[in-house]
Amino acid sequence: MTAPAPAPAPDNRGHGAPQKDGPRRGGGFRGNRAGGRPPARGGRGRGGRDRSMRGPMRRDMGPSPAVKRGADYIPAPVESNVVRVVPLGGVEEVGRNMLAFEVGNDIFVSDVGFQFTSEDSSPGVDYILPNTKYLEKNADRVRAVFITHGHLDHIGGIPFLMNRFGNPPIYTKQLSATMIQKRQEEYPEMPAANLVIVDDWQTHTIGSTKCTFFPVTHSIPDSMGILIDTPYGNIVITGDLKLEHVDGIPVPEEEKRWSKIGEQKNLLFIGDSTRAEVDGFSIPDKKVNETLEGIIKTVSGRLIIGTFASQFERMVSIIEISEKYGKKLVLEGRSIKTNLEIAQKLGLVKLAKDTIIPAQEIGDYPPDKIVVLATGAQGEEFAALMRIATKQHKNITLTERDTVVLSSSVIPGNEISVQKLKDNLYHNKVSLIHYRSSDVHSGGHGHTGELVWINKKVGAKFFLPAYGYYSMTFCHAKAVEQSGFPKENIILAENGTVADIIDGETLTIHKEKVPNSPLIVDGFAIGDMQEVVIRDRQMLAKDGMFVIIATINLKTGKLRKSPDIISRGFVYLRESQDLLNQGRLLIKKTVEDSTRGMNPVDLDYVKNQLTDTMAGYLFSRTNKAPMVIPVLIGV
């Protein structure tokens, strides 16, 4: 299996982490002039990633001819006998999906997604985006963007990124296009999306390259894959997918579809890895719908179902089953209402006039005639389900007769918030059904058995596992290798990896990577993730801040009065009088020692000395490292 060789220059980054702005300033505990932190009590290196699968490359590429802008590596355009793939996001995380392909003089992009943020790793950040510098430098050659389906991890970055590399046309199917247009309405200041609607098995010549679009099975309608025709065979891109099957045997439609693709000459296969760590085959959607129908039919009290708003087929199925048994439906959550509106517009569902009722009319019907469809099954703090669970919803109050179904699995990273949701629901003494106790959810991603089956059907010469954390792509690669695929033809990529296939035979991995540190949406700003800013936010969240306001006589260097101290998130001042009294004495001594014999008084120098001294003092007294901010006023 081929994987990127380490760069020749030292790299102090963790995998997928943004490059730090530079070493911290010296001088005791000072991290920067605004504040400081004691030396770290533990270190973190590059991480414990398992590299045992990395086989020898068939060709080790030395420094490549490239356009270099500062520290950025931008490889030179491909020669006519080279096909290139560059994962810009989505191969080291779930989300932020973006892949780029170079064929001749054409560059194509598959998906423009974002990743939701974590308050621990990126406090205050709205979304995390792929880095597009490689595309920006080649904007004149980017011919098109392909959107495989309408989930936010594949379309969420469109309003923020498209204009950065020339706003090329977007090729996608009808539902995805409608969802993109709906999302663009939230960002009227951004350029309008240039959408081209495609149909199943339709071929478009874009630039000098033929591209064919084929259907795939996923948890949202109109999901598609792409065949990019190259002189050496197709690049086959799946997006997210699974198989419709009966007891592990794909249905005839799946067999026909993948056999049709496999009959062609295929150079490179790029497959979904999100559930590659799970053996066997996924639960068929048919079985989930049967389980939900049984619950909706037999439940004796009110039924509250929490699910992903983006699972159109699940939502439509719940609505149709509810109508079948004469239930009234209450929709809670803006995204569910928006997506139902889209589904109705495209004819995916037809509703009787009186099926949906407003939440304030819920008391007008018997409890066993009510089904509430709500967002928030991942435990989001302000989503409908959490507000219902914590008694903050103005129209829905849970009782012991209610049944709650969590028709979704837990997204990695959301385990704690989902547990809080379950605890809050149980505080209301409800009956709770979730995917671990019943077949009420099937994800949109194939398990290992499905992925290996698809890989064999496609029969491509090279394989790149994508769409998932590194552990997922690793397991996908291992499973495919164990099925008989040549290890040396597997590309185990990281974000920014540049992989070239020469003459359709030789796989080459560049030693350098294109820029891959994440971009972020932070309020109105879109740009590089600034480590200093994030680090300061983390410091404030962890240990708070300690502000010193002191007035200094510029002639004598003495304090005019006792300094004022403000503490936020550090200690409660009224209960820390001894700490404050000793601190004020130390502030006075530090200021007067620093200014002794100084003429004129250098306030910047005094600030730095005060920052270092107080950071050390506070750490020694509390074992906490607040951000120390001295404000000195010279009079």
Side-chain angles (χ1 to χ4, degrees), residues 67-175:
V67 179
K68 293 208 176 186
R69 308 283 199 284
D72 293 343
Y73 171 69
I74 308 295
V78 297
E79 301 292 336
S80 60
N81 65 331
V82 177
V83 173
R84 175 175 293 162
V85 56
V86 184
L88 298 172
V91 294
E92 294 187 83
E93 58 275 308
V94 172
R96 200 154 61 98
N97 294 296
M98 180 180 267
L99 292 152
F101 308 89
E102 283 193 51
V103 181
N105 197 41
D106 299 333
I107 293 179
F108 302 99
V109 178
S110 172
D111 294 315
V112 187
F114 67 36
Q115 181 183 9
F116 287 104
T117 61
S118 161
E119 282 302 310
D120 294 332
S121 61
S122 49
V125 172
D126 299 315
Y127 309 117
I128 302 176
L129 305 169
N131 192 310
T132 57
K133 286 183 181 177
Y134 158 73
L135 298 176
E136 293 167 30
K137 301 299 183 185
N138 293 285
D140 59 321
R141 297 194 296 127
V142 179
R143 307 294 178 219
V145 167
F146 307 131
I147 296 298
T148 57
H149 63 279
H151 286 158
L152 286 173
D153 57 336
H154 293 255
I155 69 170
I158 288 174
F160 311 114
L161 296 177
M162 290 295 293
N163 61 323
R164 287 177 167 253
F165 52 94
N167 201 29
I170 297 173
Y171 288 73
T172 193
K173 294 182 74 175
Q174 182 65 65
L175 175 59

Side-chain angles (χ1 to χ4, degrees), residues 562-614:
S562 179
D564 294 322
I565 292 174
I566 301 171
S567 171
R568 291 291 182 270
F570 171 51
V571 294
Y572 185 46
L573 294 183
R574 289 186 181 178
E575 296 179 357
S576 307
Q577 289 303 309
D578 180 62
L579 175 75
L580 293 181
N581 292 336
Q582 295 296 322
R584 285 193 173 93
L585 293 175
L586 185 57
I587 291 167
K588 182 175 186 296
K589 182 177 185 305
T590 302
V591 169
E592 295 182 353
D593 286 350
S594 300
T595 58
R596 187 173 293 116
M598 184 182 289
N599 190 15
V601 171
D602 183 348
L603 291 181
D604 284 339
Y605 174 79
V606 177
K607 284 180 185 178
N608 289 336
Q609 295 300 308
L610 197 54
T611 298
D612 288 351
T613 302
M614 291 307 298

Side-chain angles (χ1 to χ4, degrees), residues 373-386:
L373 189 55
T375 57
Q378 294 301 302
E380 300 94 324
E381 183 180 359
F382 300 109
L385 203 51
M386 185 63 88

Side-chain angles (χ1 to χ4, degrees), residues 134-287:
Y134 158 73
L135 298 176
E136 293 167 30
K137 301 299 183 185
N138 293 285
D140 59 321
R141 297 194 296 127
V142 179
R143 307 294 178 219
V145 167
F146 307 131
I147 296 298
T148 57
H149 63 279
H151 286 158
L152 286 173
D153 57 336
H154 293 255
I155 69 170
I158 288 174
F160 311 114
L161 296 177
M162 290 295 293
N163 61 323
R164 287 177 167 253
F165 52 94
N167 201 29
I170 297 173
Y171 288 73
T172 193
K173 294 182 74 175
Q174 182 65 65
L175 175 59
S176 304
T178 304
M179 295 182 75
I180 291 168
Q181 286 174 321
K182 194 74 176 175
R183 183 165 169 75
Q184 290 291 107
E185 293 174 7
E186 300 177 21
Y187 302 93
E189 72 282 2
M190 300 297 184
N194 178 12
L195 293 163
V196 180
I197 310 300
V198 301
D199 293 321
D200 292 343
W201 301 110
Q202 193 174 56
T203 298
H204 287 250
T205 299
I206 308 171
S208 303
T209 307
K210 288 184 178 180
C211 302
T212 302
F213 308 96
F214 64 93
V216 300
T217 303
H218 188 39
S219 58
I220 183 172
D222 275 0
S223 296
M224 73 175 194
I226 307 103
L227 304 175
I228 301 176
D229 187 19
T230 82
Y232 308 100
N234 293 320
I235 300 172
V236 184
I237 308 159
T238 69
D240 292 349
L241 86 168
K242 62 185 291 186
L243 287 177
E244 281 295 328
H245 64 91
V246 177
D247 297 329
I249 300 174
V251 299
E253 184 181 352
E254 298 281 14
E255 180 77 42
K256 180 180 176 182
R257 174 187 306 159
W258 292 105
S259 294
K260 180 177 180 179
I261 294 172
E263 289 167 1
Q264 304 183 44
K265 184 179 181 182
N266 297 315
L267 176 68
L268 172 64
F269 177 62
I270 298 174
D272 179 12
S273 305
T274 308
R275 299 289 283 171
E277 295 173 292
V278 184
D279 292 335
F281 281 64
S282 59
I283 300 171
D285 285 325
K286 183 180 179 181
K287 189 171 184 180

